[in-house]
């Protein structure tokens, strides 16, 4: 009698426990391993989408309810658990009417009979839709992060508070020569040359103890070391975060090798232009001086000859000596004129090395040299270039010299202007020539200035020499083009010059 009461109490307790857990949306189920008969509670049927509650349940029906991709995997997991390979813990998806489906987690354990043989697989069904949604969100974010890490041009490295690399982006792999698998777990100091390599651990320790920032959030140009031992300049920016009370540091690295090479090339090009500009200025001055000095030298020679004729009838005993001295003076004047003429001919015969050049490239490089400081002066630059009129036959350095001169003149002209805009355009004109236009919003020209603008030694600047525009026009004319200037509608100046288009430009 006592045993019956106890069994009844146990059964009542089990039923009470089952009702309590089902009240939280947890379904119970039981699979007879011998007959494959399956029983599940109303809550389990609701989770699986089976209605009405009294519908006959079979193991085959259960499998048919699952997403086709999950059926075989779930069946294999149940068979392994039934064979005594441990408890069951498997997740699967049940397609729903909305098409999104319901994610369910099945957990169960083996119940053995009196002989110790597995008899039942009994367990619960849990709704894990929110967990799966969160998991999918995290997976999506991780994919987005990985996509960013794979495509961002700057290298990204994450280290912990002890300097150990935790994350190594694709750009970092290319830059330093280590794969992510090789880099993660290493100390970041291995990416540095001496003396930073030996000091880096102390840098981190000092920051963690004092909180004094030397580079975090600031950025600095430092030196990196590749796997092959070569070093390179780089710009390093570091950010800090904290997770579970532990600091992590994220470094963004930009390789400055190409930047420094470009800067060196620009400096070399600038030096070359300055050198050519000086030579051109000297040549122009020599030509002008030759023209101006030839006339007084010829006059000196004539005066000497005239004076000698006046001495012809003199009775002075020194007449012969005076005549000889005047003859020698006249000869030296003529000799000086010949030297100057040869110098002028030498300057005039200078040939340009003309090649097919890209106007956009010439203007870009000249802008880098001649427009330094334009942004600080609030000058708006607008290069509206026609790619169909891009290739010209020109001497690169000489044409850049012309452009640099025009750009610098434009900046000087707009120094006191309220509106500061510099425009460079190109277009094809008749006779297979290409016209380049440089306009500014400066003060423009007075009529008397415009007439003398290209004359040697004429200038409107207090410190100008008056040879820049004269040299520029000589260069353009030597190329077979012409150069002129005019006032524009904005009140500033517009310079135009033409160059021969490259043959077969198409």
């Amino acid at each position: 009698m006592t045993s019956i009461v106890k069994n009844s109490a146990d059964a009542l307790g089990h039923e009470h426990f089952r009702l309590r857990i089902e009240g939280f949306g947890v379904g119970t189920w039981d699979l007879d391993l011998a007959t494959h008969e399956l029983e599940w509670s109303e809550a389990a049927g609701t989770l699986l989408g089976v209605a009405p509650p009294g519908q006959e349940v079979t193991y085959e029906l259960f499998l048919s309810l699952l997403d086709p991709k999950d059926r075989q995997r779930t069946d294999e997991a149940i068979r392994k658990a039934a064979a005594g390979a441990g408890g069951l813990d498997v997740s699967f998806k049940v397609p729903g009417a909305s098409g999104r489906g319901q994610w369910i987690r099945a957990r169960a354990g083996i119940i053995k009979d009196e002989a110790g043989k597995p008899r039942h697989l009994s367990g619960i069904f849990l709704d894990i839709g929110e967990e799966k949604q969160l998991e999918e969100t995290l997976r999506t974010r991780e994919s987005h992060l990985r996509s960013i890490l794979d495509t961002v041009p700057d290298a990204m490295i994450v280290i912990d508070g002890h300097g150990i690399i935790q994350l190594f982006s694709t750009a970092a792999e290319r830059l330093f020569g280590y794969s992510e698998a090789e880099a993660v777990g290493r100390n970041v100091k291995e990416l540095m040359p001496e003396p930073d390599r030996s000091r880096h651990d102390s840098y981190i320790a000092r920051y963690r103890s004092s909180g004094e920032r030397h580079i975090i959030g600031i950025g600095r140009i430092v030196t990196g070391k590749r796997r092959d031992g070569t070093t390179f300049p780089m710009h390093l920016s570091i950010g800090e975060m904290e997770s579970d009370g532990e600091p992590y540091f994220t470094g963004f690295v930009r390789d400055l090798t190409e930047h420094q090479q470009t800067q060196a090339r620009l400096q070399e090009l600038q030096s070359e232009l300055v050198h050519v500009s000086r030579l051109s200025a000297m040549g122009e001055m020599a030509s002008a001086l030759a023209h101006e000095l030839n006339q007084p030298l010829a006059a000196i020679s004539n005066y000497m000859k005239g004076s000698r004729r006046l001495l012809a009838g003199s009775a002075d005993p020194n007449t012969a000596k005076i005549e000889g001295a005047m003859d020698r003076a006249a000869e030296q004047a003529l000799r000086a004129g010949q030297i100057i003429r040869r110098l002028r001919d030498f300057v005039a015969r200078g040939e340009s090395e003309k090649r097919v050049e890209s106007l956009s490239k010439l203007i870009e490089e000249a802008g880098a040299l001649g427009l330094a400081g334009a942004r600080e002066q609030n000058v708006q630059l607008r290069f509206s270039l026609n790619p169909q009129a891009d290739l010209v036959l020109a001497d690169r350095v000489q044409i850049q010299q012309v452009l640099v001169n025009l750009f610098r003149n434009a900046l000087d002209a707009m120094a006191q202007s309220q509106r500061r805009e510099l425009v460079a355009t190109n277009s094809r004109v008749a006779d297979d020539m290409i016209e380049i236009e440089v306009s500014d919003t400066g003060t423009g020209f007075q009529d008397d200035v415009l007439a003398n603008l290209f004359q040697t030694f004429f200038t409107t600047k207090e410190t100008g020499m008056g040879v820049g525009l004269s040299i520029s026009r000589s260069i353009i004319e030597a190329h077979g083009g012409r150069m002129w200037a005019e006032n524009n509608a904005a009140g500033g100046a517009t310079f135009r010059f033409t160059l021969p288009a490259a043959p077969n430009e198409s």
Side-chain angles (χ1 to χ4, degrees):
M1 182 68 177
T2 303
S3 177
I4 294 175
V5 172
K6 181 179 179 181
N7 290 338
S8 298
D10 290 343
L12 184 61
H14 288 314
E15 181 64 19
H16 184 243
F17 177 73
R18 185 185 66 78
L19 292 174
R20 288 180 62 186
I21 65 173
E22 291 206 359
F24 291 100
V26 178
T28 59
W29 58 278
D30 182 88
L31 175 64
D32 189 317
L33 298 177
T35 65
H36 270 205
E37 292 180 0
L38 183 63
E39 295 182 0
W40 59 46
S41 65
E42 183 177 343
T46 302
L47 290 174
L48 295 173
V50 178
Q55 182 175 349
E56 181 181 357
V57 178
T58 63
Y59 182 67
E60 288 71 21
L61 171 63
F62 163 71
L63 291 178
S64 70
L65 298 173
L66 309 188
D67 189 288
K69 295 181 293 185
D70 295 333
R71 290 173 187 169
Q72 182 176 354
R73 178 175 55 83
T74 303
D75 182 45
E76 291 176 355
I78 291 176
R79 292 182 183 277
K80 287 182 179 179
L88 175 69
D89 190 348
V90 64
S91 298
F92 49 81
K93 190 175 183 180
V94 178
S98 64
R100 297 182 58 184
Q102 172 79 10
W103 276 99
I104 296 174
R105 181 181 184 183
R107 302 197 65 179
I110 293 293
I111 299 178
K112 299 180 180 181
D113 58 15
E114 296 177 354
K117 294 182 180 180
R119 179 65 181 176
H120 290 267
L121 191 62
S122 185
I124 58 175
F125 288 144
L126 302 171
D127 180 359
I128 58 170
E130 293 184 2
E131 295 178 21
K132 280 292 183 179
Q133 185 175 3
L134 179 60
E135 181 181 319
E136 185 64 27
T137 301
L138 291 176
R139 186 181 297 109
T140 301
R141 289 182 179 178
E142 184 177 353
S143 298
H144 288 169
L145 176 60
R146 175 52 59 182
S147 174
I148 293 172
L149 293 179
D150 289 343
T151 56
V152 67
D154 289 348
M156 179 178 172
I157 303 171
V158 177
I159 64 172
D160 62 15
H162 302 287
I164 305 303
I165 298 175
Q166 306 295 313
L167 187 146
F168 206 68
S169 71
T170 302
E173 292 180 328
R174 294 192 299 266
L175 183 57
F176 289 96
Y178 293 95
S179 68
E180 182 179 17
E182 292 171 327
V184 172
R186 291 176 180 260
N187 193 306
V188 73
K189 66 183 181 182
E190 296 187 29
L191 306 180
M192 308 171 189
E194 296 292 353
D196 290 336
R197 183 187 184 101
S198 301
R199 298 174 181 173
H200 190 260
D201 288 342
S202 63
Y203 293 160
I204 295 180
R206 180 178 61 190
Y207 171 71
R208 295 190 66 176
S209 62
S210 65
E212 183 180 355
R213 296 187 172 191
H214 288 270
I215 189 172
I216 296 176
I218 301 173
R220 179 178 296 175
I221 296 177
V222 296
T223 302
K225 183 178 180 181
R226 298 186 179 91
R227 182 174 185 171
D228 61 7
T230 58
T231 59
F232 62 97
M234 67 185 197
H235 184 272
L236 174 64
S237 301
I238 297 181
E240 181 185 10
M241 63 162 287
E242 189 173 298
S243 179
D244 295 332
E246 285 295 320
Y248 289 87
F249 304 96
T250 303
F252 295 90
V253 177
R254 178 172 299 172
D255 186 358
L256 297 181
T257 303
E258 184 176 348
H259 173 75
Q260 291 193 354
Q261 290 175 346
T262 302
Q263 290 296 108
R265 174 58 184 151
L266 284 176
Q267 291 177 1
E268 179 184 344
L269 184 60
Q270 188 173 27
S271 298
E272 186 179 353
L273 282 174
V274 169
H275 178 67
V276 172
S277 179
R278 287 174 178 171
L279 289 178
S280 298
M282 291 180 65
E284 191 77 14
M285 291 178 68
S287 179
L289 288 172
H291 175 74
E292 299 297 330
L293 290 177
N294 266 327
Q295 294 180 4
L297 287 172
I300 291 172
S301 177
N302 290 332
Y303 277 120
M304 289 291 183
K305 291 178 180 178
S307 299
R308 189 182 188 286
R309 283 193 296 269
L310 292 175
L311 287 171
S314 176
D316 191 311
N318 293 318
T319 298
K321 294 181 179 180
I322 295 173
E323 288 178 346
M326 296 186 76
D327 287 341
R328 287 192 295 272
E331 289 173 0
Q332 292 302 316
L334 291 174
R335 182 172 179 272
Q338 291 172 355
I339 292 173
I340 291 175
R341 278 194 297 274
R342 284 200 297 270
L343 175 62
R344 186 179 183 183
D345 292 341
F346 173 77
V347 172
R349 283 199 305 268
E351 293 293 333
S352 299
E353 187 179 355
K354 301 179 182 65
R355 298 179 179 178
V356 177
E357 301 286 352
S358 167
L359 262 181
S360 58
K361 182 76 170 177
L362 294 176
I363 293 175
E364 177 185 349
E365 292 183 353
L369 298 171
L371 297 174
R375 180 177 299 178
E376 289 74 9
Q377 298 179 35
N378 296 321
V379 176
Q380 295 183 354
L381 306 176
R382 186 154 53 87
F383 293 166
S384 180
L385 303 177
N386 180 4
Q388 301 301 320
D390 185 57
L391 299 182
V392 294
L393 193 62
D395 183 296
R396 176 179 61 86
V397 174
Q398 289 187 346
I399 298 304
Q400 285 180 341
Q401 179 187 344
V402 173
L403 290 168
V404 167
N405 186 48
L406 295 180
F407 289 159
R408 287 176 176 168
N409 287 347
L411 292 184
D412 292 341
M414 294 187 291
Q416 306 300 325
S417 300
Q418 293 294 326
R419 176 189 172 196
R420 302 175 185 177
E421 182 176 353
L422 190 151
V423 180
T425 62
N426 66 318
S427 60
R428 182 177 287 277
V429 293
D431 300 327
D432 292 328
M433 301 292 285
I434 292 177
E435 181 180 292
I436 297 90
E437 175 186 321
V438 177
S439 300
D440 61 54
T441 55
T443 56
F445 304 113
Q446 301 295 331
D447 291 340
D448 57 338
V449 171
L450 200 57
N452 300 309
L453 195 59
F454 294 98
Q455 288 187 9
T456 307
F457 306 128
F458 177 84
T459 180
T460 59
K461 301 179 183 179
E462 294 181 1
T463 59
M465 293 180 60
V467 295
L469 290 177
S470 176
I471 294 172
S472 296
R473 187 172 65 173
S474 298
I475 291 174
I476 296 303
E477 290 177 350
H479 279 72
R482 66 187 189 95
M483 186 176 192
W484 69 100
E486 58 192 27
N487 291 315
N488 57 44
T494 296
F495 283 86
R496 304 176 191 272
F497 62 91
T498 58
L499 291 171
N504 301 324
E505 182 179 352
S506 60

